[in-house]
Amino acid sequence: MGIVIIRQDGKIDLWKEALKLHAPQIPVYGYLEDHPKEAIKMALVWKQPEGSLAGYPNLECIASSGAGVDFLFEDPQLPTHIPITRVVDEYLAKDMSEHVMALIFAQLKNLYHYKVDQGNGVWKPIPYKRIVDMTIGIMGLGALGTVLANDLVHFGFTVQGWSGSYKNIKGVKAFTGSQEQAEFLRSTQILVCLLPLTPATTGILNSALFEQLPKGAHIINVARGGHLVDGDLLQMLDNGHLSSACLDVYHQEPLPTDHPFWKHPKVHMTPHYASVSDTNSVVPQIVENYRRLMSGEVLLHRVSETKKY
Ligand code: GLV
């Protein structure tokens, strides 16, 4: 019996400590230390090395330690027919909402623009926008998108959402499916992508979609780099159709230093840190799922085998 932690970002000890604190009775191992592979029932994973999940003959659950699970499916040796769970956590959702709202307010008040003016010694006021003037369109109204939508409504923004199925969120106009996408985009001034990355959403942020946004629209991608066609974004920023893009996620992370996003004046980057799992907040649900696994109960936050999110 036990849990193996598989991740390559130097945080194995952090997760181990948190697990030990909440459930000292569960044996927990880092994947690089000596451990009894046949005893492992659960793997707690973030961006695993390819093939690292294959050596556990009695594995019964793969738990992503984040909201996303797309990285698991990139592994051709991912064991099939084992339940996958993901994290649904109040802080993960709130942190994301606060990050996106900070970006939206920076746009309203032209803060990125003034930072450049400051560097050039330029004193030149330009008109700002008001909350009441802005329509925010959120693609993806899952655990994260819903919290953001509620927070934006609370602040008085006009909010609309496009998602895989109709979502009934008070004050949020709901759209779904490809036939309703054009109407959703037509009135969206700031587009926020919070979709899961699946084969159906890969490359969804492309020229054909950007063209349907009003001229001057802003893009915020805090989901996955794979949603975005980088070249299409650059073209739309350069031809003036889009005003700016705030990106937290990239095809390759860290983003290679020669990528044009680094130096582009209309691209505002953060290093995939909009919202990160807080071990103390997340570990109780991992421990609860381990308990459920051991007693044959239904797991929390199970990923759909067909939808893959
Ligand atoms: C972060 O990207 C996550 O999926 O939790």
Side-chain angles (χ1 to χ4, degrees):
M1 304 296 156
I3 299 178
V4 64
I5 304 173
I6 306 181
R7 54 192 308 140
Q8 304 174 85
D9 59 358
K11 291 188 180 170
I12 286 183
D13 285 345
L14 187 72
W15 283 88
K16 225 173 165 179
E17 286 312 309
L19 279 160
K20 283 265 167 262
L21 199 69
H22 284 85
Q25 74 284 7
I26 304 177
V28 179
Y29 310 93
Y31 78 111
L32 292 176
E33 70 185 274
D34 248 356
H35 59 290
K37 291 201 163 183
E38 62 295 336
I40 299 299
K41 294 287 177 190
M42 177 188 269
L44 178 58
V45 186
W46 186 249
K47 296 191 180 172
Q48 76 284 2
E50 196 176 304
S52 57
L53 278 160
Y56 297 96
N58 298 313
L59 192 63
E60 288 178 17
C61 173
I62 298 170
S64 165
S65 61
V69 291
D70 46 288
F71 60 89
L72 289 169
F73 300 110
E74 287 170 16
D75 187 344
Q77 294 181 61
L78 178 74
T80 46
H81 310 304
I82 293 180
I84 294 176
T85 61
R86 67 197 191 94
V87 166
V88 176
D89 174 66
E90 188 192 335
Y91 285 104
L92 205 56
K94 265 304 194 193
D95 292 353
M96 179 58 83
S97 173
E98 288 169 17
H99 179 89
V100 173
M101 285 199 294
L103 299 175
I104 292 173
F105 281 110
Q107 294 299 350
L108 292 193
K109 294 293 180 186
N110 302 306
L111 300 187
Y112 292 118
H113 182 95
Y114 288 130
K115 188 72 202 153
V116 174
D117 278 3
Q118 181 185 344
N120 293 327
V122 172
W123 179 283
K124 189 167 170 247
I126 53 170
Y128 50 78
K129 295 205 175 60
R130 297 199 172 98
I131 287 174
V132 290
D133 301 327
M134 298 307 294
T135 298
I136 316 293
I138 306 171
M139 296 179 88
L141 290 175
L144 303 182
T146 300
V147 171
L148 172 65
N150 281 323
D151 286 348
L152 290 169
V153 167
H154 176 77
F155 268 97
F157 288 96
T158 301
V159 185
Q160 49 193 24
W162 183 85
S163 46
S165 56
Y166 277 114
K167 291 283 158 61
N168 190 6
I169 304 173
K170 197 160 173 259
V172 179
K173 194 168 175 193
F175 297 86
T176 190
S178 50
Q179 48 327 326
E180 292 184 11
Q181 202 188 52
E183 191 190 340
F184 163 78
L185 294 170
R186 214 173 10 250
S187 47
T188 289
Q189 291 159 288
I190 299 185
L191 180 72
V192 183
C193 179
L194 271 170
L195 289 165
L197 185 67
T198 66
T201 64
T202 297
I204 195 168
L205 300 176
N206 58 33
S207 293
L209 179 142
F210 295 144
E211 275 162 7
Q212 298 175 67
L213 291 164
K215 186 169 163 52
H218 300 271
I219 306 296
I220 297 176
N221 187 20
V222 280
R224 286 290 182 262
H227 288 117
L228 178 66
V229 180
D230 294 4
D232 287 7
L233 175 69
L234 289 165
Q235 194 190 4
M236 289 284 162
L237 290 169
D238 291 341
N239 71 16
H241 184 69
L242 296 177
S243 292
S244 77
C246 294
L247 307 176
D248 188 54
V249 287
Y250 310 89
H251 282 271
Q252 195 184 330
E253 297 178 1
L255 188 68
T257 48
D258 59 350
H259 194 287
F261 286 164
W262 281 104
K263 297 238 163 73
H264 199 287
K266 293 181 180 174
V267 174
H268 309 298
M269 292 171 48
T270 46
H272 198 153
Y273 214 64
S275 171
V276 288
S277 291
D278 176 324
T279 49
N280 287 319
S281 177
V282 166
V283 154
Q285 65 184 261
I286 304 295
V287 170
E288 170 60 12
N289 260 350
Y290 186 82
R291 188 196 67 72
R292 286 173 178 234
L293 196 65
M294 293 301 104
S295 56
E297 291 172 50
V298 174
L299 299 177
L300 300 172
H301 317 312
R302 190 162 166 183
V303 170
S304 150
E305 272 167 46
T306 46
K307 291 200 229 161
K308 304 224 182 296
Y309 65 87

